[in-house]
Amino acid sequence: MSAGTPSSSNTDHDQAAQQRRRYEELLREAESIKGVSLWQDAWRRLRRNRAAMISLGFLVLMSVSAVLTPLAPLQSPMASDLKNRQLKPPTLAAQTLTVGEQSLTDALQKFRAEINALKQEIASAEGEQKASLIKEVAERERRNHPYAALWHHPGFITSRLIDLRMMLFGNYSIPSICGSDGLGRDVLSRLFWGARVSLIVGIVGTAVSLLIGVSYGATAGYCGGWVDNAMMRFVDVLYSVPFIFVVIFLITILSQDDIKREYLEPYGIDQIMIFYVVIGAIYWLTMSRVVRGQVMSLKHEQFVDAARTTGAGGMRIIFRHLVPNVMGVVIVYLSLTIPAVMLFEAFLSFLGLGVSPPDVSWGLLINEGVQVITPIRTFWWLVLFPGLTLTLTLFALNFLGDGLRDALDPRMKNR
Amino acid sequence: MSPTIRKLFPYMVVFVVVGAMGWALSFGTLPKADFSFNNGTEPKTIDPAKATGSPEGRIINALFEGLLRDHPLDVPPDASGLTPMEPRPAMAESFTLSEDGRTYTFKIRPTARWSNGEAVTADDFVWSWRRFLHPATACIYAYQLYYLTNAEKYNTSVVEVGDVVEVELPDRPDEFQPFPRGTLLRGELREIIKPPKPEPIKDAKANAKALSKWKETWAYVVAVNQQQRVDEIQDIEPTVRVFCISPPKEPGKLAAPAKIEPCLHVLIDFDTVGVHATDKTTLVVQLNNRTPFFTNLVAFYPLHPVNRRCVEKYGTPNWTKAENLVNNGPFNMQFRRLRDRVRLVKNPEYWNAENVALEVIDALAVPMESTSLNMYLTGQLDWSTTAPSAIMPELSQRDDFVRAPMLTTYFYRVNVNRPPLDNPLVRKALNRAIDKSIICEKVTKGGQIPARSFVPPGLAGFKSGLAGDFNPEEARKLLAEAGYPGGRGLRKIQIVYNTNEGHKMIAEVIAQQWHEHLNVEVELRNLEWGVFLNTLHQVEYDVARSAWIADYPDPNTFLDMFVTDGGNNETGFANPKYDQLIADAASEPDAKKRMEILHDAEELLMDELPIIPIYFYVSVNMVSPRVKNFTANLQDVHPLHLLRIGKSK
Amino acid sequence: MAAFLLKRFLWMVLTLWIVFTVTFFLMRAVPGGPFDGEKQLSPAIKRNIEKRYHFDDPLAVQYLDNLRRAAMFDFGPSLKLEDYTVNEVIAEGFPISASLGIFAMVFALTLGTTAGIVSAIKRHSAYDVGFMILATVGVAVPNFVLASLAVVVFVFQVHLFPAAGWGTVRQLILPALCLGAPFAGYIARLTRTGMLEVMGLDYIRTAYAKGLSHRRVVLRHALKGAITPVISYLGPATAGILTGSLVLERIFAIPGMGSHFIEAATQRDYPLAMGVTLVYTFLLFFMNTLVDVSYALIDPRIKLG
């Protein structure tokens, strides 16, 4: 074929396009078959690994209970009782939810009656008075609500979950079977609420690291040459730059009032979200190395050449063809990153760069516990229960990671 | 890669590992000290002029000695376990005070020696205090000597036309060393030529910087008549010369009567500052006003003398090295291992060496409370200066637990510029809604005292002005009066604190109490130390936790913080009446009246409440029963040279 | 070899320079400064201190000045430990961290590889399960929890070790074990995986066919092939372990370098923070290079490039 008249080039073009479409279709088909079989195969193998399956079950259970914590008949994680319950060992003595002197149901009833009375007033009021009454109701809903004292101004969804909990269990709550802490708060419920923070840190932080690490590593690995060299030197540099400065810098920049008002608050991003993202932004380094190594060994494989012949661009090859193929390794590595991120959160909180009360995380709970290990008297329940939960979770993640590695190992295929 | 190398590789690895382990084991073991104690953190410096903290104080008081030294009175402890301290003659064998209370004459002890055998002279004190006050040394505690005539002017480089000034030429041998110094020229200041003042900048910090830069461009016209090179003073032909710290780039810009010469400092002549050596053993100190607590200051470690020859020979930071240090206290420094220990040995040259019982002392730096307790319990320490608060109730049952009130207040600063906290009624409501006794009883647990005033109790002759006590009913009333009935309409209030388990617990309790009693929504924010300090200095907070340790046993050390724009005010509090009271107290010669004025000032402070006092600290020490002569006192000072080791029990 | 090392060296110099630059500007962009304290300095004093340390110069001038001195290994005086220069701080702290690190590493390597080999050879046995659970515990239990518990057990229940401090071998053992535990767990798992892969390969079968003893095959042939992942893990791990650990240094009152990393940063001691950062960068680079050289020494197929 020679480059001739426009018309002939057009038909050429059409033909080429048709051909490409066909190739692409073939490719897509091939990919989809291969993809499904790989994952199915891996799942089949994973299911046979008992330790990994138990771990998976445990993790799923943990995540579900973290999400549904407000629904569980737990005590308040923040209402402290210094006079009667400070540092009490685990007990089975019954506990009910109370606000001040009265039980929570009574308080709720009283509060709702007040609000209803006000609402009736609104119905009969006019003009300015009405507006001010509406404001008053809104203000009271937020400020005087009995939940505010027990769950620190819960958000809408959490409040509804607590409503449901009140309907199901009333004032009943599980006794302090894990004891109470230095301010007389129930350790069990703090563990559950802490799970929310710790698991979110683990997941969001890891997800951010995944996003940055995979795209960065894959790009470096695919481009190779000086681009790769420069990109990897940059990673080397970031490995060495003291992370404290990086964290403080990012947090300060992102929590400046004007930036916060303009870019973050409209999207509902708060301090703790920033913190999660910052952790992810620190943990992507190793991920990018792992991905780069994998991509480098894959990029001369035939399926990449095939994609290239069909005219796929660099970006497309990287994200459509290469990245899915390194996911196996990445998933295994993820199961190692999550625990590391969770421990890192504990360390940052210890330095004052992490979560603030009344939010609580497992790392903070363990820190509190470790501080009271003394030969004179040990408040063992303050270390044991948070330590056990964190260790079990990390254990589960490790076993699951091992299982996934075995399951995704191509040499184990069809075995 | 040659095969031989490859073959040898495993052996090389083994060799390296064994070698490394051998090296790691080579750190010899130390002979045990007679007495070890935990000094808390690593001392930042052992230069008396530059140190500010109590770990530094313990070491410096062992190595150096001032004119006077705090000494426990020979009386049995009072009801709270305290033995009062008084400044007693140390390097000075005696002193006299003039009628008007403004001139002290110290007689230096003839047997006072430096550790290298030289005699300690009055000149050593003049030189040390000069170094302490010199702006180039930049001592944080320099204000401790502001009671001396002209000392403040000298320290802050303020000069006026007509003053005799000293001009230092930029010919120092080493720019980094405040000493030895360059050539000094003396003469009367005739005129100050100032370039146009820079436009004020909105940002206060930048403005202050611009102003101090501007000040450096002033040209000083001086009639020079004396020149000093090191110690050689010679009178010279009087000439009018012009000096400037940073001279303008183009010489024509400033209309000066002579060529503008660069210089390092233009200070008021040190001879006009109120400290003089009339002979080798007589030191005369002139004060601005009668200062009843001046003897306490003289016993305070920043005023301890340093050895001029040593400082000049080795310079900073080398003169404080164990092998170079020349000191005059009861102990010498044998060696110092960073963040591990300072080993002190008895100083045979010390004038009172026969009464120093301990031969070898280890001052360990163990920052963690529980580790310190562990080391104490296993006999590695004889004295632990801290204890974990969680087990305070258990510890306080023990005989070796020594607890005493202290001149330190834990308090919350309130930013009085930010609504709604600008309303004193809101601040009062917040104060009255805090149950301080439960914080002391259940959170700090060390026997701390709930605070209703800013100045801690125990200062002779002073009666504190009190803030309202815990009363939720009244608090709600006050808040309603301020226009926020039931807390409605009040925005969220943020408490900031630096990361620490204790601060966190207290903040959590206070947040809960405010919510419970006032319906105030509280947000807690822990900040990393550097960020916290910055937030405090910029006054960018609602409520911030703070603490203040008395510099000297007098209410003034607490109360003068809150004068308008005071360096440590940091709350935005500005009240002309308060400023006036503090100024009146400073110039009041009658001690009793002065205390009354200070009482009025505190009453005003507690009425306005730019700070909410929470509790007064107690010092907590665990001291092995074999240690004798350990007395509890308000300052938490325990002179090492008085301690003795006896048989336990 | 020489060319490889030279190239590495040049890369290292470049990396050090970039780390220096990034850290320099990052430190100064962070709020708070070295001369902030709970007691506020008067502006005049602050100005004098800043002048003394040349903090009033324009940032670019400071940068060039610091870079010039850093190039001659002079990081200047520490701003917060006023009796020391940064070089002295590092010279005192590093040997301590290093000797603790060496013990921890030797312990981790010995225990880790032994457990890994035994688990791999006796796969699915009680040994295997036991070792792997132990290894997971080592990885999963945060080492400050481990250390606190170890103190209660081995100091107060069984009087085996002193509570804390530095200077004798007995004081070294407990912290070294706690520091090494997670590394031991990791190494054990890496060794086991490596061994399992290698044991199925042809050259092992050949070795057995030659009639070599089981012991010889495992230790001389299989281990050589299985150890590569461990070595590549060792590089960064050693750099980390040699520069100390804040938490363990606090619990055991050890005057190592780890605390300086954190404290220099939180106190904004710029010169010290810079010094320890560059030492760490150097160590990391040095260890990674060592790893690459060892690869080539162990495996003849690998060429240094």
Side-chain angles (χ1 to χ4, degrees), chain C residues 184-195:
Chain C
Y186 219 100
I187 290 172
R189 291 172 35 161
L190 284 174
T191 315
R192 177 175 176 268
T193 321
M195 285 296 283

Side-chain angles (χ1 to χ4, degrees), chain C:
Chain C
M1 179 85 169
F4 167 78
L5 289 181
L6 183 72
K7 201 171 136 195
R8 268 304 166 100
F9 178 76
L10 292 178
W11 267 124
M12 184 180 81
V13 172
L14 184 71
T15 310
L16 281 170
W17 173 65
I18 299 175
V19 168
F20 177 90
T21 311
V22 173
T23 310
F24 182 89
F25 289 104
L26 195 62
M27 281 194 298
R28 279 159 177 81
V30 159
F35 308 122
D36 286 343
E38 205 153 14
K39 278 194 176 126
Q40 181 85 283
L41 293 178
S42 82
I45 291 179
K46 204 164 170 179
R47 173 110 186 114
N48 275 308
I49 299 185
E50 286 180 349
K51 259 173 108 170
R52 181 147 180 256
Y53 291 104
H54 296 282
F55 273 54
D56 58 334
D57 291 343
L59 213 52
V61 176
Q62 284 185 51
Y63 170 73
L64 289 176
D65 188 50
N66 282 7
L67 185 61
R68 188 173 47 78
R69 283 190 294 123
M72 295 183 292
F73 303 105
D74 171 19
F75 297 108
S78 161
L79 301 179
K80 289 288 175 176
L81 296 163
E82 291 174 35
D83 298 340
Y84 287 83
T85 63
V86 172
N87 293 23
E88 286 165 346
V89 173
I90 294 172
E92 281 207 22
F94 182 69
I96 291 166
S97 288
S99 61
L100 183 65
I102 287 167
F103 269 90
M105 218 64 220
V106 170
F107 155 70
L109 262 177
T110 335
L111 190 73
T113 42
T114 316
I117 294 170
V118 172
S119 302
I121 296 171
K122 305 193 187 257
R123 202 178 175 188
H124 298 310
S125 72
Y127 287 111
D128 181 23
V129 176
F131 275 133
M132 281 309 112
I133 287 181
L134 260 184
T136 316
V137 169
V139 177
V141 178
N143 62 7
F144 58 96
V145 175
L146 195 67
S148 306
L149 294 177
V151 168
V152 171
V153 174
F154 293 107
V155 178
F156 288 98
Q157 304 294 325
V158 196
H159 304 277
L160 269 181
F161 302 106
W166 181 254
T168 61
V169 181
R170 274 178 70 214
Q171 284 172 323
L172 188 101
I173 295 173
L174 211 48
L177 293 188
C178 292
L179 185 59
F183 296 93
Y186 219 100
I187 290 172
R189 291 172 35 161
L190 284 174
T191 315
R192 177 175 176 268
T193 321
M195 285 296 283
L196 284 179
E197 269 175 24
V198 169
M199 291 300 276
L201 294 183
D202 288 343
Y203 78 95
I204 297 296
R205 236 172 284 159
T206 318
Y208 275 119
K210 279 201 302 191
L212 295 177
S213 72
H214 183 56
R215 191 192 155 92
R216 199 175 162 82
V217 173
V218 169
L219 289 184
R220 293 296 298 267
H221 296 256
L223 189 58
K224 224 175 181 180
I227 207 85
T228 29
V230 176
I231 288 176
S232 58
Y233 169 72
L234 276 183
T238 312
I241 218 171
L242 287 183
T243 45
S245 140
L246 168 82
V247 180
L248 288 180
E249 283 177 12
R250 284 223 179 149
I251 292 177
F252 291 107
I254 292 168
M257 276 247 291
S259 309
H260 292 309
F261 274 91
I262 309 298
E263 276 168 19
T266 55
Q267 299 182 336
R268 310 288 187 270
D269 189 343
Y270 298 151
L272 183 56
M274 183 62 85
V276 291
T277 302
L278 292 185
V279 167
Y280 176 69
T281 314
F282 170 76
L283 268 177
L284 195 66
F285 226 95
F286 179 75
M287 287 299 161
N288 280 336
T289 309
L290 214 60
V291 164
D292 290 344
V293 173
S294 337
Y295 275 155
L297 283 170
I298 289 175
D299 189 341
R301 288 168 304 177
I302 294 177
K303 290 262 176 307
L304 290 173

